[in-house]
Amino acid sequence: MTMPLPSFVKRVLCACLVLLPLAAASVEEADLKTQALDLYSDIKATEEAAFQDTRSVALYFGNREPDLIVRAIQVTVDGREVARYTYSDLEIESIRNGGIHLLADLRLPIGRYAIGVKATAMSVEGGPHAERLYPYIEETFALERNTQWELALVHDAWFKWQNKAAIKVQERGIKNSVSDSLRLKAMYFNAERHQAFEALADALAVLKAGGRADQFSPSLTQALNRSAYEFGLVDIPATLKPVLHNDQARQSPQISPVYSQYNAGVELLKRGEWAQGVQTLMALSAGEYVEYDELLLRDKINLALGFHFLKQGDSELSAKYFRLVRRLSPYANKALVGLGWALLSPRQNRVPAPVDALGAAAPSTAYLWSGSEDEIAWARRHTPFRRAWAVASGGKAEDLQAALVPWMELMNRDPLDPAVQEGLLILPYAMSHWAGQAQRADSYYALATSRLAEALQRLNSASADVQRGGLRNAIDLADQRESSGWNIWLSTIYDSKDGYLDLLLEGSAFYRALQDYRQIARIYHVLSGYKDSAVVAANDGALGGKLSDLLPRLALNVARSAEIIDRIALAELSRHRKRTETYLAEANFALARNHENARRSLTRVVWDGEERQ
């Protein structure tokens, strides 16, 4: 996820203040993770050995059809649902790259069973309204030994002709073998969908059981090294070292060169090397991108270019780049604010002044918006309307009408967004300088006070929700659900948290704290499920003793991480609340000033110059 750059220094300082007292705790947490990983791999190995003599079937789902994807799947045994899952885009891509998903591991007595599988499939290139296919199969099978079944989609020539698909069930032999390819493919799937703890523990269990490093494919090895980085695995267990190399596990995964080129372009602008910096960013803006994060970065590049040219007085180029920001992008609202000022400001040809592209210094054009969240109202307070009573006329009136179009679009967007809050004040301010629109300006100021008051109430409710643990409880519930791959993105809690989660995720300190909290909470949740397990109680109680020792320490770290995430969230919400209170005060003051001017005007009309008793 990309982080907006405004207020970067404040966020870095905030992160430092939070993390400095926790240096020792971080070392302890890293050691706990290593111990938890080792224990979980032992539990998995013991569990597999204990169930060798039981009758069970592991149900996997994979898809090798290049032109179809599966969005959801449901499995029943004798009419009883045993698995239901909705796949995220990330998981779909992982399956298409060779991963498989362990849907269920069923312990069943010897006998015959009816298995039913329903899936929802669609074309790879299909959009949200593309035609769906609903392949279905119901078969009876005899369970006589440990076995593995792979469910796969079929879309061969006959089915393509019929515009249909089918589900095929294939038996893959005895499970729990060290050389089991299905297990390695499922490991890859878990690593790719960011379930690092499960993927690494499974890899460690395979190696402890005698598996060899050369059984791990290059793609699996790469995925596991990414998992080690995400997991924060500092002290790599000796058994894992043939697969995880220290230099790889401790470095961030290789990222697209687009990011380093973007950073280089911004740095050139900051150093005053305008030609090279702008050329670099313009080349990146013109690139073709497919990945979601790269598309977000392109929006950010276009936003930076828009503000750069806005400050240089080139409204034509500025408007061009603001218009390239996608309408549904997180940067769209800021682009709409900037586009309005670009349409309002005249084109000026002059030598660029030494200012950076992101608002770190005062802009060269006296009234143009800087783009920084901290200075979000700068443009409105330094507009072309030098006098409060100035009225646009002629060409400037036409410019004003053009600028109102993007600003009007902000009116019905989320008032928690700083750019929307600025738009709520820009529109009535601009209308107050448009001949004959004073009454409409008053109406929009009234609307601004109403919407800003609503935003303030939502921020107060959000703070109360965080204080009573509502945010963390919702995160825990989302992470513990096993029915959807979208839960990792917390997609299910956005509506219930009234949009304030977006505000929090913009802060780097909160984002890092959230990642740490979810990871340690996930480890605790997985291991605590074995507290009363017969598998852990066996083996002379050795595993039970390790688990009893580890769980309280994990619980302490979960509580510590929870305290950090709450503290950062409340600080961020307080910052947004103060800004909203400032905007609300401005709107109320503007409304009162307009009413006072109207009262004085009426007083002058009716006063006849004589004193009244």
Side-chain angles (χ1 to χ4, degrees):
M1 178 181 292
T2 56
M3 184 198 73
L5 289 180
S7 304
F8 180 75
V9 175
K10 287 186 177 179
R11 289 168 179 168
V12 170
L13 288 175
C14 178
C16 292
L17 290 173
V18 170
L19 296 177
L20 277 175
L22 298 171
S26 298
V27 174
E28 180 189 355
E29 185 175 303
D31 182 56
L32 272 177
K33 287 179 180 179
T34 302
Q35 292 180 47
L37 190 62
D38 187 61
L39 176 59
Y40 189 35
S41 67
D42 288 342
I43 290 174
K44 289 173 77 71
T46 304
E47 191 174 33
E48 289 165 4
F51 287 108
Q52 281 292 336
D53 297 329
T54 64
R55 299 298 178 264
S56 65
V57 56
L59 295 175
Y60 292 92
F61 170 72
N63 178 25
R64 305 295 176 267
E65 292 295 335
D67 54 348
L68 285 183
I69 59 175
V70 170
R71 283 289 178 189
I73 193 166
Q74 178 192 29
V75 181
T76 60
V77 174
D78 288 345
R80 179 177 60 89
E81 182 176 282
V82 295
R84 178 191 291 266
Y85 200 82
T86 301
Y87 292 97
S88 69
D89 290 345
L90 179 67
E91 292 172 325
I92 288 172
E93 189 64 22
S94 172
I95 289 175
R96 293 187 71 213
N97 289 336
I100 60 174
H101 178 208
L102 176 59
L103 286 166
D105 196 355
L106 308 174
R107 313 283 192 237
L108 300 171
I110 295 175
R112 298 183 65 82
Y113 299 92
I115 179 172
V117 183
K118 297 178 181 178
T120 302
M122 60 183 289
S123 169
V124 171
E125 300 177 353
H129 303 294
E131 180 182 2
R132 263 55 170 177
L133 303 177
Y134 300 98
Y136 171 79
I137 189 174
E138 186 166 346
E139 285 190 5
T140 300
F141 68 93
L143 180 62
E144 298 176 351
R145 61 171 186 170
N146 276 350
T147 188
Q148 300 176 111
W149 288 48
E150 182 179 1
L151 313 175
L153 199 64
V154 178
H155 190 56
D156 56 21
W158 187 88
F159 285 106
K160 286 182 180 178
W161 179 67
Q162 293 286 327
N163 193 28
K164 293 181 180 179
I167 296 288
K168 178 171 62 176
V169 181
Q170 297 176 302
E171 185 171 4
R172 296 299 190 187
I174 298 174
K175 57 182 296 194
N176 300 329
S177 170
V178 170
S179 60
D180 183 5
S181 64
L182 291 184
R183 183 171 185 177
L184 297 177
K185 291 176 181 178
M187 196 185 302
Y188 170 79
F189 177 76
N190 281 333
E192 286 292 282
R193 64 173 176 162
H194 302 294
Q195 287 199 357
F197 183 51
E198 287 83 348
L200 292 170
D202 213 16
L204 188 54
V206 168
L207 293 169
K208 283 180 176 180
R212 303 184 316 276
D214 58 10
Q215 294 175 234
F216 292 71
S217 67
S219 59
L220 175 56
T221 301
Q222 186 179 20
L224 288 172
N225 275 283
R226 284 197 299 266
S227 292
Y229 172 77
E230 292 174 11
F231 192 68
L233 190 60
V234 178
D235 185 15
I236 300 175
T239 313
L240 265 180
K241 284 184 178 180
V243 176
L244 299 182
H245 308 293
N246 283 285
D247 56 339
Q248 289 178 291
R250 291 174 181 172
Q251 293 177 7
S252 62
Q254 185 176 5
I255 60 174
S256 169
V258 176
Y259 298 95
S260 58
Q261 292 169 20
Y262 166 75
N263 291 332
V266 171
E267 186 61 31
L268 287 169
L269 290 175
K270 289 183 177 180
R271 293 204 303 261
E273 299 178 31
W274 304 100
Q276 285 182 279
V278 170
Q279 184 179 8
T280 299
L281 293 181
M282 290 175 73
L284 291 173
S285 172
E288 293 292 332
Y289 306 107
V290 176
E291 297 296 329
Y292 179 74
D293 285 349
E294 291 181 348
L295 292 172
L296 279 180
L297 182 63
R298 184 172 63 182
D299 289 334
K300 194 172 190 177
I301 291 167
N302 289 327
L303 191 69
L305 285 170
F307 284 124
H308 168 74
F309 288 117
L310 190 61
K311 291 171 187 179
Q312 302 313 303
D314 193 336
S315 60
E316 185 177 328
L317 272 178
S318 175
K320 170 190 171 181
Y321 283 103
F322 282 134
R323 287 190 173 109
L324 290 176
V325 178
R326 295 169 302 156
R327 291 176 64 87
L328 298 181
S329 165
Y331 304 104
N333 291 342
K334 283 188 175 182
L336 287 172
V337 172
L339 178 59
W341 290 122
L343 295 174
L344 181 62
S345 63
R347 183 182 179 87
Q348 301 176 36
N349 298 315
R350 57 170 170 273
V351 178
V355 296
D356 68 68
L358 299 171
S364 59
T365 306
Y367 56 84
L368 297 181
W369 189 47
S370 70
S372 166
E373 184 180 319
D374 292 336
E375 300 172 337
I376 200 166
W378 193 95
R380 180 169 40 82
R381 294 164 184 166
H382 298 76
T383 64
F385 305 112
R386 298 299 187 191
R387 306 180 192 283
W389 57 86
V391 175
S393 61
K396 179 53 67 178
E398 294 176 2
D399 292 339
L400 180 58
Q401 292 181 55
L404 291 176
V405 175
W407 290 339
M408 287 285 287
E409 195 166 333
L410 290 167
M411 290 299 97
N412 293 320
R413 299 198 174 187
D414 188 357
L416 291 184
D417 190 315
V420 173
Q421 293 183 355
E422 173 63 11
L424 287 169
L425 294 192
I426 289 176
L427 190 63
Y429 180 81
M431 281 191 169
S432 66
H433 295 280
W434 187 9
Q437 300 299 319
Q439 189 171 356
R440 289 183 67 189
D442 274 2
S443 297
Y444 278 111
Y445 271 127
L447 174 64
T449 59
S450 173
R451 302 215 67 204
L452 289 167
E454 171 201 338
L456 192 58
Q457 178 59 42
R458 287 171 59 188
L459 289 168
N460 289 333
S461 298
S463 295
D465 185 53
V466 172
Q467 287 175 332
R468 62 174 173 264
L471 176 61
R472 283 186 290 101
N473 290 339
I475 292 170
D476 291 342
L477 186 60
D479 285 343
Q480 290 165 19
R481 290 194 185 106
E482 302 292 341
S483 60
S484 174
W486 293 106
N487 289 328
I488 192 173
W489 312 111
L490 301 179
S491 56
T492 57
I493 72 173
Y494 272 83
D495 291 340
S496 65
K497 296 301 128 189
D498 200 22
Y500 76 81
L501 187 58
D502 270 333
L503 289 180
L504 297 178
L505 287 172
E506 289 180 2
S508 61
F510 179 82
Y511 180 74
R512 286 195 296 270
L514 176 63
Q515 295 299 91
D516 290 342
Y517 171 77
R518 294 178 73 186
Q519 194 173 91
I520 197 70
R522 175 71 180 176
I523 295 170
Y524 178 78
H525 172 70
V526 170
L527 291 181
S528 62
Y530 288 95
K531 281 192 299 186
D532 302 319
S533 169
V535 173
V536 172
N539 196 22
D540 298 328
L543 291 179
K546 290 181 180 179
L547 187 63
S548 298
D549 173 66
L550 194 60
L551 283 178
R553 295 160 60 201
L554 284 170
L556 183 62
N557 271 266
V558 171
R560 183 184 296 150
S561 296
E563 182 183 351
I564 294 170
I565 199 174
D566 284 354
R567 184 166 68 244
I568 296 175
L570 289 172
E572 277 292 294
L573 290 172
S574 175
R575 184 176 66 83
H576 285 288
R577 185 166 56 249
K578 289 176 181 177
R579 185 199 62 247
T580 304
E581 288 172 344
T582 301
Y583 272 92
L584 182 57
E586 283 193 54
N588 282 322
F589 178 79
L591 198 58
R593 181 190 59 205
N594 288 354
H595 288 173
E596 177 63 15
N597 290 340
R599 186 191 68 80
R600 290 181 178 179
S601 177
L602 289 173
T603 302
R604 285 196 297 271
V605 170
V606 300
W607 185 48
D608 58 8
E610 296 183 4
E611 293 288 340
R612 305 294 186 192
Q613 296 295 329

